[in-house]
Amino acid sequence: MTGSRVVAVGHHQPERVLTNAELATMVDTSDEWIRSRVGIESRRIAADDETVDAMAANAAAKALANAGLAATDIDYLVVATCTAIDRSPNMAARVAARLGMTTPAAIDVNTACSGFTHALATADHAIRAGAASKALVIGSEKLTDFTDWTDRSTCVLVGDGAGAVVLVAADEPEVGPVTWGSVPEMANAVRIEGRPGTFGQEGQAVFRWATTELPRIARQVCERSGVAPEDLGGVVLHQANLRIIEPLAKRLGAVNAVVARDVVESGNTSAASIPIALSKLVERRELPVGAPVLLFGFGGGLSYAGMVIRCP
């Protein structure tokens, strides 16, 4: 095999919806203040028993069903998360047990909000190297476990959920080469520090970096994949802020692409945001099968990773 392709997607979100109006009764904020700054209208909040691995397993089960595969068919499982409470066993091992897998390689990736695209790249590389043939890549986060609900600058942002894709070996690669990197001097710009840990960020610094540097890096992703921005069928960026997503897609020149705006209804779900948004677009058939789609994650570290895939 010379590459891999995404054959199916799936996602899980908690039933509990927290609106801006409800948040305004909890902290000094308002619907207009939140929408004007980040574009979020609502977010999903996980129940106590909706753990990171439980949500991951639910999303994965849907992706496997959509792929027509059994959990035992998977030989490489990777979970991207920065909100696992336990050190060991890792989330991938717990997901494998929940799904009844047999002997998969099972690893976690923690690069915060860019975790899913980093994880997808490692799975693609494993398949290209012949170390795997069928992979399950999941982003799952329960950011509300690490949220200070008295801090209006951060609590308005976060949501919970999970998304998954199934990746298989292919003669013709449909997952383009990854472009990834980091900005070490900004490593502390997004963080969950201490015990039990609270999510915090330097919002303005991240916003400036994202709006000035990301368009250039996103163009590099397209160039490495041999796809012109105007030929993209979809753009699925990390769902951090609508004021980052829309200008970036415009500056990139993705004039014909469907741009994911799931942040409006889901908030920032960190490593889960890209697979959730992609799964919804596929489920609603808003992306043509085979269309080139840019996936690009950025966040804590300050890390980033992106690639162009073909829509399943």
Side-chain angles (χ1 to χ4, degrees):
M1 298 296 104
T2 59
S4 68
R5 63 189 179 97
V6 175
V7 294
V9 295
H11 69 278
H12 168 87
Q13 289 186 287
E15 290 186 9
R16 169 82 166 99
V17 177
L18 179 62
T19 66
N20 290 346
E22 289 178 88
L23 265 176
T25 68
M26 300 163 53
V27 69
D28 182 19
T29 191
S30 68
D31 176 61
E32 190 279 331
W33 190 90
I34 299 169
R35 286 189 293 108
S36 66
R37 283 160 177 78
V38 292
I40 298 171
E41 296 179 3
S42 64
R43 69 286 294 148
R44 300 295 186 98
I45 308 298
D48 290 343
D49 61 349
E50 287 183 290
T51 59
V52 170
D53 57 302
M55 292 189 291
N58 286 340
K62 292 176 183 177
L64 286 168
N66 290 335
L69 294 174
T72 50
D73 293 325
I74 300 298
D75 52 14
Y76 186 90
L77 168 64
V78 54
V79 176
T81 186
C82 65
T83 53
I85 293 176
D86 299 324
R87 299 291 183 184
S88 183
N90 66 6
M91 291 299 98
R94 286 183 169 168
V95 171
R98 283 180 179 271
L99 294 175
M101 293 181 174
T102 48
T103 58
I107 66 172
D108 285 3
V109 167
N110 178 5
T111 52
C113 303
S114 68
F116 177 79
T117 41
H118 274 87
L120 184 60
T122 68
D124 174 58
H125 295 166
I127 290 174
R128 287 175 182 265
S133 62
K134 295 181 179 65
L136 187 56
V137 184
I138 309 168
S140 183
E141 301 282 21
K142 193 174 181 182
L143 277 167
T144 55
D145 274 347
F146 300 90
T147 299
D148 178 356
W149 292 101
T150 67
D151 179 6
R152 74 168 188 169
S153 67
T154 56
C155 75
V156 302
L157 303 175
V158 302
D160 302 326
V165 304
V166 176
L167 199 65
V168 303
D171 291 321
E172 294 295 329
E174 293 188 7
V175 175
V178 66
T179 297
W180 51 12
S182 64
V183 187
E185 62 268 27
M186 294 184 67
N188 290 323
V190 183
R191 57 197 176 274
I192 299 176
E193 295 179 320
R195 298 182 181 180
T198 302
F199 165 58
Q201 67 172 3
E202 297 169 13
Q204 287 302 313
V206 174
F207 181 83
R208 284 193 300 271
W209 178 83
T211 52
T212 57
E213 297 298 323
L214 285 190
R216 174 184 58 82
I217 302 171
R219 281 192 291 271
Q220 291 178 357
V221 176
C222 294
E223 289 170 5
R224 293 200 66 197
S225 298
V227 177
E230 60 268 24
D231 293 330
L232 289 170
V235 172
V236 185
L237 307 174
H238 166 48
Q239 301 292 292
N241 186 329
L242 204 58
R243 292 173 58 211
I244 294 175
I245 294 167
E246 293 180 329
L248 196 159
K250 184 176 181 179
R251 289 186 60 188
L252 176 62
V255 293
N256 299 308
V258 175
V259 178
R261 296 178 173 84
D262 189 54
V263 66
V264 174
E265 62 184 39
S266 299
N268 182 342
T269 55
S270 189
S273 77
I274 289 176
I276 290 174
L278 176 64
S279 178
K280 288 183 178 181
L281 290 177
V282 173
E283 189 176 77
R284 296 193 296 254
R285 299 183 179 179
E286 294 182 23
L287 294 172
V289 174
V293 180
L294 171 66
L295 308 181
F296 196 95
F298 56 93
L302 187 73
S303 61
Y304 58 85
M307 69 281 289
V308 174
I309 70 165
R310 295 285 170 173
C311 180

